[in-house]
Structures are given as structure tokens and as C-alpha cells.
Amino acid sequence: MTFSWKKTMVIALDTVVAVYLLLAVTAFNRPDDSRAVCSQVRIDISEDVVEGFLDSEEIKRILTQNGVYPLGRPLDAVSVRRIEDTLEKSPFVDRARCYKTMGGHVCISVTQRMPLIRVKAVTGDDYYIDSRGGIMPNTRYTTDLIVATGHISRRYASKVLTPLAAYIVKDKFWRNQVVQLNVLEDGSVEMVPRVGDHIVYLGRPYHAGRKLRRLEKFYRYGLNRAGWNKYSYISLEFDNQIICRKRVHRPQAAVAIPQE
């Protein structure tokens, strides 16, 4: 078999030409990152069963205030890491993710810390508790949240009120019914409902789901017939019974509840 230099050179030349054309076409179709600018900022914010404090305008304000809002800037000068770090410094942001596209867009995805309850303690402390029991500072934003008042330390709010508030918020019936929680000096809790002129005493707020399920049965099968304003005080402190104090000064009436 005779080696052909001519045939080898032709094959090599064809290969070089093919590679050159491929690189040329790729370079022609790819925009020059050094010249491309950000033409659009897309902001996506996670939502939950409760309304958070963040919207697109607030994200834009945070980035603009810190000099990192990317609109109109060269793409190669836009730092996605700096945008993420800036947003995650906000007490209302849990996580931020940012990336750039070939079309000149900068996409920002934000997962916000979701407030569960607002705390206004007798000490003057005023803050929010998030879904993980974390403290969120008071803010100029308003949202329709349950308010907790009374003798509340930050540890109590984080460890005790958070599970109670989480149960209430996730349950459609109680989310629409509970307006306020009031913590007494001994750590027990009173609940102010939206419907009905009475106070509900939960006692120590442990096994709250079981207590509230018992109360929901009483609401549906008791107060619906007797009238929502018949009692001034309803106690769930003891298992398997509900103690009701009538609006007039008469002896208390105990209502037996079937075992769950």
C-alpha cells in the first residue's frame, strides 16, 4: 500500500476549512458579551398562603439603592453574585438566585421569608415571626396577619407561638377566624375570633391542633344552634370537654365532646 501525501494534504485541508467555517458561524451568531447590554430584568418572587412583604418594585429599590440594578448596563459588567448577595442581606429574603441570558435579559428569582404572625409585646417589642420561627423586624409594609399581644419573650414567640400560628395559617377555617392571640403572664393563651363575641382560652398552647379541632366541632354543632354570642368565655384547657361561661352571670356549663 503506497502512502499518498497528496491525498493526506487534501483531507487535512478540508478538515481545517470545516473547523474554520464552524468557528466563524458560531462567532457570527453569538453576540459580543462585551458590547451587549441588559435590556430587561425579570423578577420572580415566591408566594405562600400568606402575603409577604416583597414585590418587584421593592426588589428594584433594593438593587438600585445598592448600585447593582442591571437594566441598561453592559452584561459583562453585571455581577450575578453581587446581586444575589445584596438581596440576601435583606431581612425579608430567604434566598436569591440570578442569571443572565443570551438575549440580554437578567433573571432574578427570590424566595422570601414568609411572616406568620405579628408580635406586639407588653415590653414594647414589635416584630414579626416567620415560618421558621425567625425574627423579622417591624416594617412600613402592612399585611393581614394575626397579632399576638401580651407577655411574650422572643424565645417564647419563636418556640411556642410559631407552631400555633403555623397550624392556624395552614388551616383555611382558622386562618379566616382568628384575629388575635393574647399571652397571659403564666404563658397560657387567649384567642380572639373574628366571628362571635367571646374569648377562647387555649391554656398552654400545646397540642393546639387537637384543641382547635375540638372547638371547630363545637362551633359547627353547638354555637350554630345556640347562637354565636351566647357565651362570653370558652375554655379548651381540659381534654375532651369545653367549658363555656354564659354572658349573664350564671354557673358555668360543661359541654362533653366525644373522644377523637
Side-chain angles (χ1 to χ4, degrees):
M1 181 176 180
T2 304
F3 181 78
S4 174
W5 283 101
K6 183 177 181 181
K7 185 176 181 180
T8 302
M9 290 296 293
V10 170
I11 294 173
L13 182 60
D14 288 343
T15 302
V16 170
V17 171
V19 171
Y20 171 79
L21 291 175
L22 178 62
L23 293 175
V25 170
T26 302
F28 178 79
N29 288 327
R30 183 178 61 194
D32 186 354
D33 287 344
S34 64
R35 298 170 57 186
V37 298
C38 173
S39 59
Q40 183 176 350
V41 179
R42 297 180 178 177
I43 300 174
D44 177 64
I45 303 174
S46 66
E47 293 294 342
D48 209 330
V49 294
V50 295
E51 181 183 354
F53 295 128
L54 297 175
D55 56 23
S56 296
E57 287 302 314
E58 177 63 10
I59 296 299
K60 178 180 178 181
R61 187 194 68 78
I62 293 173
L63 296 177
T64 302
Q65 190 176 55
N66 287 273
V68 293
Y69 189 64
L71 188 63
R73 298 190 176 192
L75 282 181
D76 63 346
V78 175
S79 170
V80 296
R81 174 61 63 85
R82 191 177 174 194
I83 289 174
E84 292 172 350
D85 290 345
T86 298
L87 291 175
E88 289 180 355
K89 290 178 182 177
S90 168
F92 306 114
V93 173
D94 182 36
R95 186 175 66 254
R97 294 292 179 265
C98 179
Y99 62 92
K100 296 179 280 188
T101 71
M102 296 295 292
H105 297 172
V106 173
C107 301
I108 302 170
S109 176
V110 174
T111 302
Q112 58 181 324
R113 295 173 64 189
M114 301 307 300
L116 279 180
I117 189 169
R118 182 172 183 175
V119 174
K120 302 185 73 173
V122 293
T123 59
D125 223 357
D126 189 350
Y127 54 90
Y128 296 87
I129 296 292
D130 70 12
S131 55
R132 299 179 183 178
I135 305 295
M136 300 173 67
N138 191 8
T139 173
R140 60 187 176 88
Y141 298 100
T142 59
T143 188
D144 187 18
L145 292 178
I146 300 168
V147 177
T149 57
H151 301 267
I152 308 172
S153 67
R154 294 201 169 199
R155 178 177 176 80
Y156 182 95
S158 179
K159 301 297 183 182
V160 181
L161 283 183
T162 297
L164 174 59
Y167 180 88
I168 292 172
V169 166
K170 290 178 182 178
D171 186 283
K172 184 178 180 180
F173 176 82
W174 291 113
R175 184 168 71 247
N176 294 322
Q177 173 69 350
V178 179
V179 175
Q180 180 182 346
L181 300 173
N182 184 54
V183 180
L184 306 180
E185 289 188 78
D186 63 356
S188 59
V189 175
E190 294 176 328
M191 187 173 75
V192 180
R194 188 182 305 276
V195 179
D197 188 15
H198 57 265
I199 300 297
V200 176
Y201 181 66
L202 295 176
R204 295 280 181 167
Y206 304 112
H207 308 295
R210 189 165 61 196
K211 292 180 178 181
L212 291 177
R213 285 192 296 272
R214 194 162 75 242
L215 179 60
E216 184 175 357
K217 289 181 182 178
F218 179 66
Y219 276 176
R220 294 184 186 280
Y221 304 112
L223 291 190
N224 273 343
R225 298 177 181 177
W228 284 80
N229 297 322
K230 182 175 182 178
Y231 303 109
S232 62
Y233 206 79
I234 299 174
S235 174
L236 304 174
E237 182 178 13
F238 304 109
D239 289 339
N240 302 317
Q241 67 176 352
I242 295 177
I243 299 176
C244 303
R245 182 188 303 160
K246 290 185 178 180
R247 190 158 304 283
V248 294
H249 297 289
R250 294 177 182 175
Q252 295 181 345
V255 180
I257 299 298
Q259 296 281 347
E260 295 185 358

